Amino acid sequence: MYSYHYPHPAVTVDCAVFGLDEARPASSGEDARRDDDRHGTTPGNLTVLLIQRDLEPYAGAWALPGGFVKIDEDLEAAALRELGEETGVRDLYLEQLGAFGAPDRDPRERVITVAYLAIVNLFDHPVAAATDARNAGWFGVDDLPALAFDHERIVAAGLEQLRATVRDEPIVFEFLPQEFTLRQVQSLYEAILGESLDKRNFRKKLHATSLIVPLDEVEMDVAHRAAQLHRFDRERYEALRAEGYRWNA
Amino acid sequence: MYSYHYPHPAVTVDCAVFGLDEARPASSGEDARRDDDRHGTTPGNLTVLLIQRDLEPYAGAWALPGGFVKIDEDLEAAALRELGEETGVRDLYLEQLGAFGAPDRDPRERVITVAYLAIVNLFDHPVAAATDARNAGWFGVDDLPALAFDHERIVAAGLEQLRATVRDEPIVFEFLPQEFTLRQVQSLYEAILGESLDKRNFRKKLHATSLIVPLDEVEMDVAHRAAQLHRFDRERYEALRAEGYRWNA
DNA sequence: TGTACATAGTGTATATAATACACTATATCT
DNA sequence: AGATATAGTGTATTATATACACTATGTACA
């Protein structure tokens, strides 16, 4: 059988993990994250998860979580495994961003990386807590440190894909807890799109979908009128989508 | 310096090259393609370029053009090189589709491929003519033979990306000659989107862009009233786009 | 030469979607 | 009790999308 004898590049996966770093909503009051897990961000910001490298090259620099793909491992499985190992995250949204393969992107040898966009719900899964061993942290997307390799380009590609996807698919709910306020949804759209939206028009559009169902609960521990909590009817969404419906907000 | 000693996968590039196979427009009357270059397609169809493999595995089967990435070669450069070698195509539109890396997608060894979407203008560059040595041909997207490896999935991903891109970017003009009729543009949208469009509304929308400029020429050698030829004002488009304009059709 | 045929080219009325915009309600905090 | 902070609500206007049918102009051929 024919086989290929020329040198092979190394292949890695890297994950641009986005989360919403926000004052914890009162509906689940315990386990507030420690302040030193957050870097240069104000509540309500879109953040990226970075780890500090402990090996050369770029030892000490911040980088995206990721690592080498095993020889018999599926790419997505590798991304999930590396994320689990380095950050303890499970149960997250994962979507491929693409391959990055400039010949000089890694000084050791030729390394082609397959980048993934991940979204993690920081309300239900306090991620940084599981990463104390390897220095890890959430950084506001507008306030990133210098990154190792070409990871700045990967983050930029992730943001671009987020912006492109957010209007056509209900991915914002991947960031939010099961029960959320409409204000949270709007703030998230604003953070991702980088523009501010009209409150009444935005809510009109959300309500028109009939997919955001109000609950008999309101948020707690806020110093003002409490907002009603809602949930996203994913089941109904999947059913509608099967019939050709497309999310649009 | 640290280096990675585990086995590396092979990395390839594969190109889903799309073209518009159509009765040659009269504005450039010579060099009609031979009929035996076309397979199972009627004029005006969206087609994909396939080559017949002469090596194992899948010897004899149809496959996407592509091949191994050299150890110091950029991914996009590898795609362009392979396309040039196998099909003689130059000067085409190229966009990454993503990485395909299921562990068993190649029976020889672990092979991860980076797939590209390419569009070629068959009016100005008669591609198949340059490929007589290796059996190559254009196949209608709805009439593909069984393909080697996971290339059917790659073609499907390419079609999906075409459909997603065509509304937000003026990529249709990558398929068409410099001078084209409005009917050609509409047919192409219809072929890509798989739905039929209203002639008057479509032309209204095209005209509203002010980017489709009518020429003082009409098509020739047609058995009916000749349509006016137009060109796409790419220069003006790039200028508008730099100011935030987005194509929308 | 004239008539059948094939496609080019054109406008208006209606429905739907997007935008702009400001006040009242309800909770906390002091 | 009053200050403050956010929740929550509707209408009028504008822009965009859709539905729809006839005339114009060339070729082919009887």
Side-chain angles (χ1 to χ4, degrees):
Chain A
M1 181 195 278
Y2 174 86
S3 190
Y4 181 71
H5 295 297
Y6 296 93
H8 288 18
V11 176
T12 58
V13 287
D14 286 300
C15 299
V17 187
F18 292 93
L20 185 65
D21 193 349
E22 195 176 27
R24 189 150 220 78
S27 50
S28 50
E30 56 286 315
D31 78 31
R33 264 162 296 136
R34 301 202 328 274
D35 264 9
D36 35 326
D37 286 338
R38 283 186 273 119
H39 298 256
T41 182
T42 53
N45 265 7
L46 194 60
T47 56
V48 186
L49 178 60
L50 300 176
I51 60 167
Q52 201 162 19
R53 291 181 57 82
D54 45 46
L55 296 174
E56 290 293 340
Y58 296 101
W62 293 96
L64 296 176
F68 291 93
V69 176
K70 295 185 174 169
I71 196 66
D72 276 318
E73 185 180 39
D74 188 60
L75 296 173
E76 192 165 313
L80 288 168
R81 175 181 55 75
E82 288 286 351
L83 272 179
E85 288 174 11
E86 298 190 349
T87 70
V89 191
R90 312 195 154 276
D91 203 40
L92 42 62
Y93 178 89
L94 199 66
E95 176 184 322
Q96 195 189 111
L97 271 176
F100 292 75
D104 58 353
R105 61 177 292 284
D106 190 310
R108 289 168 287 185
E109 60 173 327
R110 179 73 190 280
V111 179
I112 290 163
T113 197
V114 179
Y116 282 84
L117 163 63
I119 300 175
V120 65
N121 174 344
L122 290 176
F123 298 91
D124 298 348
H125 305 285
V127 170
T131 65
D132 283 349
R134 314 189 53 155
N135 199 0
W138 293 92
F139 291 76
V141 292
D142 292 326
D143 194 17
L144 294 179
L147 299 184
F149 306 108
D150 54 359
H151 288 187
E152 277 158 38
R153 285 187 53 215
I154 297 176
V155 171
L159 271 172
E160 204 178 308
Q161 182 143 328
L162 254 190
R163 271 190 260 273
T165 312
V166 79
R167 313 213 81 131
D168 305 325
E169 310 229 28
I171 48 167
V172 279
F173 305 109
E174 307 293 338
F175 286 95
L176 295 171
Q178 284 263 325
E179 308 187 347
F180 50 79
T181 67
L182 301 184
R183 172 69 200 165
Q184 285 177 299
V185 183
Q186 182 176 342
S187 298
L188 191 40
Y189 267 94
E190 290 174 336
I192 293 172
L193 296 174
E195 60 185 300
S196 58
L197 304 171
D198 179 272
K199 182 158 83 164
R200 279 177 290 190
N201 293 339
F202 183 78
R203 291 159 100 102
K204 203 188 306 174
K205 224 168 168 179
L206 280 190
H207 285 133
T209 65
S210 305
L211 292 170
I212 312 295
V213 313
L215 304 173
D216 286 334
E217 282 175 84
V218 294
E219 60 181 341
M220 289 180 347
D221 299 335
V222 288
H224 51 76
R225 175 176 175 182
Q228 188 157 29
L229 292 173
H230 296 73
R231 68 177 184 85
F232 175 59
D233 190 345
R234 188 171 298 276
E235 205 171 337
R236 185 173 154 77
Y237 167 71
E238 300 293 354
L240 285 173
R241 184 180 157 110
E243 300 167 9
Y245 168 84
R246 301 272 106 154
W247 179 264
N248 167 21
Chain B
M1 184 194 277
Y2 174 85
S3 192
Y4 181 71
H5 295 296
Y6 296 93
H8 289 16
V11 177
T12 58
V13 288
D14 285 301
C15 299
V17 188
F18 292 92
L20 184 66
D21 195 350
E22 195 176 26
R24 188 151 221 79
S27 49
S28 51
E30 55 284 316
D31 79 29
R33 266 161 295 136
R34 303 198 330 270
D35 265 7
D36 34 327
D37 285 338
R38 283 187 273 121
H39 300 256
T41 183
T42 54
N45 265 7
L46 195 60
T47 56
V48 185
L49 178 60
L50 300 176
I51 60 167
Q52 201 161 18
R53 290 181 56 83
D54 45 46
L55 296 174
E56 288 295 342
Y58 295 101
W62 293 96
L64 295 176
F68 291 93
V69 175
K70 295 186 174 169
I71 195 65
D72 276 317
E73 184 180 39
D74 187 60
L75 296 173
E76 190 164 315
L80 288 168
R81 175 181 55 75
E82 288 286 350
L83 272 178
E85 287 174 12
E86 298 190 350
T87 70
V89 191
R90 314 194 153 276
D91 203 38
L92 40 65
Y93 177 88
L94 199 66
E95 177 183 322
Q96 195 188 111
L97 271 176
F100 292 74
D104 59 352
R105 59 178 295 282
D106 191 311
R108 288 169 288 186
E109 60 174 326
R110 180 73 190 281
V111 179
I112 290 163
T113 197
V114 179
Y116 282 84
L117 162 64
I119 301 175
V120 64
N121 174 343
L122 290 175
F123 299 91
D124 297 349
H125 306 283
V127 170
T131 66
D132 282 350
R134 317 189 53 155
N135 199 359
W138 293 92
F139 292 76
V141 291
D142 291 324
D143 194 16
L144 295 179
L147 299 185
F149 307 107
D150 55 358
H151 288 187
E152 277 158 38
R153 287 187 52 216
I154 296 177
V155 171
L159 271 172
E160 204 177 307
Q161 180 144 329
L162 253 191
R163 272 191 259 274
T165 311
V166 78
R167 313 212 81 132
D168 304 325
E169 309 229 29
I171 48 167
V172 280
F173 305 109
E174 306 293 337
F175 286 95
L176 295 171
Q178 283 264 322
E179 308 188 347
F180 50 80
T181 69
L182 300 184
R183 172 70 199 163
Q184 284 177 300
V185 182
Q186 182 176 343
S187 299
L188 190 41
Y189 267 93
E190 290 174 335
I192 293 173
L193 297 173
E195 58 186 301
S196 59
L197 304 171
D198 180 271
K199 182 159 81 163
R200 279 177 290 189
N201 294 339
F202 183 80
R203 291 159 98 101
K204 203 189 305 176
K205 223 166 167 179
L206 280 189
H207 285 133
T209 64
S210 303
L211 292 170
I212 313 295
V213 313
L215 304 173
D216 286 334
E217 283 175 83
V218 294
E219 59 180 343
M220 292 182 343
D221 300 334
V222 286
H224 52 76
R225 175 175 175 181
Q228 188 156 30
L229 293 173
H230 297 72
R231 67 176 185 85
F232 174 59
D233 190 344
R234 186 171 299 276
E235 204 171 337
R236 184 173 154 77
Y237 166 71
E238 300 291 356
L240 285 174
R241 184 178 157 110
E243 301 166 8
Y245 168 85
R246 302 271 106 155
W247 179 264
N248 168 21

